[in-house]
Every structure is written in C-alpha cells, then in structure tokens.
Amino acid sequence: MTTTRLVTVAPPTKRRSRKPQAADAPPPSIAPGPAARTFGIIALVVATLYFLVPVFWLVVASTKNNTDLTSTFGFWFAEPNLAANYDSLMGWTQGLFWRWVGNSLFYSLSAGVIGTLFAVMAGYAIAKFAFPGKKLAVGIIMAGLLLPVALLTVPLYIEFQALGLTNTVWAIIIPSAVSPFGVFLGMVYAQSSVPTELLEAARIDGAGEGRIFFTIVLRLLGPAMVTIFLFIFVATWNNFLLPLMMISSPDLKPVTLGLYGMMSYFSPDKGAVMLGALLGVIPLIALFFTLQKYWRSGLAAGAVKG
C-alpha cells in the first residue's frame, strides 16, 4: 500500500527592485538625508548668488552714465551708453588701458610661472630630503604665512630702491613670485603625492636628482602646480599697494593702479571706470574656466595620503 505525501510549495516572494546607484553617488550608509540635501542646495544657491550678483551689477553699471547710475534701478539696464563709456575710458587713459591689461597679464603670468616652479622645488626638497636647518626652514615658512603682504611693502620698497630696481618690471615680479603659501602647498603635496619608493627606484636606475625632479616629480605634482599657479596669479593681478609703491611710469602700470588713478580724478566718469573694471577681470574669468578641472583635482591631491 503506497502513501502519497502532499508537499506545499510557498509562493515565490517578490524581490525588492533596487534603484541603480550612480557612479559618483556616496554609499547609502553615509548619503545625506532629505533635510541635509535641501540645506546643501539652499547654501549652494546662496553662495552662487553671492558671487554672481556683483558681476551682474558690474555688467549693468558699465552700460550707464553718471546720471543713470544714481537715478535708475541698479540691477537693470537703462539707456545704453556702452560706446560712450568705452570712448571715455580710452580717452582718459590716453589709449593705455589695454597696455595696462597686458602689463597685469605679463606680471601675473611671469610671477605665477616663476613662483610655482620655485615653490614646488622648495616644497619637494623640504618634504623628501633631510638637511641641517630643516625645522628652522619650515618654521620660517609657517611664520611667513602669518605675515600680511601689506606689512612687507615698505621694507621691499627700501630694498629695491637701494638696488635700483624700482619702476621696473622686476619690482613687481620678484616680490610676487615669492610665496610662502605656495611653498607650504608644494611641501604638503610632495609628502602625499610623491612616493619615496619611486624616487629610490629612479636613483637605483642611475637617474640624477635633476632628471628625477623634471621628469617624474613635476608630472606627479601637475595638479598641485596648477593650484599654486592660480593662487599666485590672482594675488599678483589683484595686488594694488605694491605697484603703487614701486611703479611711477604710466607705461608700466597694471590695470588696478591705472583704474585707481581714474577714480582719484575729480568727478570721474564712473560708467567708464566700471567698464574698465569689467574688461580687466575678463582674463581672470577665462583663466579659471580653462584651468578649473585641474584646480579641482589639485585641491584634493594633498588631502589623502597614499
């Protein structure tokens, strides 16, 4: 006699479908909640408006005359006066405005390239070599970070006057290229981005220190160099007190000093000054848009060890 066993089969359970996670999304365990995400979006919007609203106001103000600047709404256009402002700008500066922009570009590029190279060289040497007085050198660099640049302007003027270098391009380039902050960044990046094992392997293969630096180290510190270059470039472009003390010839003035002279004139054409400020900041905007990819990676290059 055979017995039949009844086997009950449970219905299949439905699996919860998981949404595909984006490649750059954080893990769910550390992902921000809705409140944090909303607060972050609001903070970003406020920061964006904080930086873009003055630029928009500058664009609007550069198209107005003195009367419209005080009698019309500040954040919208009035009767266009752009051509007259440009003619006034060129007339007051005696055609030297674009020369001043070129001077600022030359000073900033020269100081940025020279200062970046020396900052990376010094930072790499401090990070990877042992030499007498290393702690003292680091202490001097850290002390230099605490000193405001304006405090050193008068002593620098006295030194350059004794050397006969005032009213020359070197009076702007040399002080601007010396950057304790750039040396500090170069040291931090070299400590985290340049493996000591790689340097030892290159020395075993017979490479000299100069070849190691220019063929290996500079490539590893590329993003860091872009960051240092941008800091020195912007600081040199915006520097006002140093050119005011060092430069007296109109042909050597940067754009910041030239526009200051226009504003110090009795009853200046403010619309023309605003147009000059707008045209003078365009190279900075173009530079940041060109190098922003390398700058973002450079800011994070020294944050993680290994």
Side-chain angles (χ1 to χ4, degrees):
M1 184 177 181
T2 59
T3 60
T4 304
R5 293 183 180 180
L6 298 178
V7 180
T8 59
V9 180
T13 58
K14 295 182 179 180
R15 295 183 179 180
R16 295 181 179 178
S17 59
R18 296 182 179 179
K19 296 181 179 180
Q21 187 176 353
D24 56 347
S29 58
I30 62 174
R37 189 179 293 109
T38 302
F39 178 77
I41 293 174
I42 294 175
L44 290 176
V45 171
V46 172
T48 302
L49 293 176
Y50 176 80
F51 288 106
L52 291 184
V53 167
V55 177
F56 178 74
W57 178 86
L58 182 62
V59 173
V60 173
S62 65
T63 63
K64 297 182 179 181
N65 54 28
N66 287 354
T67 303
D68 292 337
L69 280 172
T70 57
S71 61
T72 60
F73 182 59
F75 288 97
W76 198 245
F77 300 92
E79 183 179 353
N81 198 56
L82 188 61
N85 287 343
Y86 184 80
D87 293 338
S88 176
L89 177 65
M90 294 297 108
W92 191 92
T93 60
Q94 299 178 356
L96 292 175
F97 173 76
W98 290 113
R99 183 182 181 89
W100 293 344
V101 174
N103 290 340
S104 293
L105 193 61
F106 173 72
Y107 297 148
S108 301
L109 283 175
S110 302
V113 172
I114 298 173
T116 300
L117 181 60
F118 278 95
V120 172
M121 293 173 67
Y124 166 71
I126 294 174
K128 296 299 179 180
F129 291 93
F131 54 89
K134 179 177 179 178
K135 293 184 178 179
L136 178 62
V138 175
I140 294 175
I141 293 171
M142 298 302 293
L145 296 175
L146 302 176
L147 293 176
V149 179
L151 186 65
L152 304 176
T153 303
V154 175
L156 285 172
Y157 173 76
I158 296 174
E159 292 180 3
F160 276 79
Q161 187 181 32
L163 295 173
L165 294 177
T166 55
N167 200 31
T168 63
V169 296
W170 301 111
I172 305 298
I173 295 175
I174 294 177
S176 301
V178 179
S179 174
F181 185 65
V183 176
F184 174 74
L185 284 180
M187 179 180 63
V188 172
Y189 288 130
Q191 288 175 345
S192 60
S193 302
V194 180
T196 305
E197 296 80 4
L198 181 62
L199 302 178
E200 294 176 352
R203 295 187 183 107
I204 292 174
D205 289 339
E209 296 299 333
R211 183 177 180 182
I212 291 174
F213 178 78
F214 286 103
T215 60
I216 298 176
V217 176
L218 286 185
R219 294 184 181 183
L220 294 175
L221 297 181
M225 293 177 63
V226 173
T227 304
I228 298 172
F229 173 79
L230 282 175
F231 274 109
I232 297 178
F233 187 96
V234 174
T236 306
W237 188 282
N238 293 332
N239 200 346
F240 169 74
L241 187 58
L242 182 67
L244 180 64
M245 297 287 294
M246 296 290 189
I247 300 298
S248 58
S249 174
D251 295 337
L252 297 177
K253 287 182 178 181
V255 66
T256 51
L257 186 58
L259 292 178
Y260 166 75
M262 191 173 182
M263 281 300 297
S264 62
Y265 183 71
F266 179 74
S267 184
D269 190 350
K270 297 178 181 178
V273 177
M274 297 301 174
L275 179 61
L278 178 62
L279 295 176
V281 81
I282 288 178
L284 284 178
I285 297 175
L287 182 68
F288 268 90
F289 274 108
T290 304
L291 301 178
Q292 63 175 342
K293 178 179 66 175
Y294 305 99
W295 188 44
R296 287 198 304 266
S297 59
L299 287 175
V304 181
K305 184 177 180 181

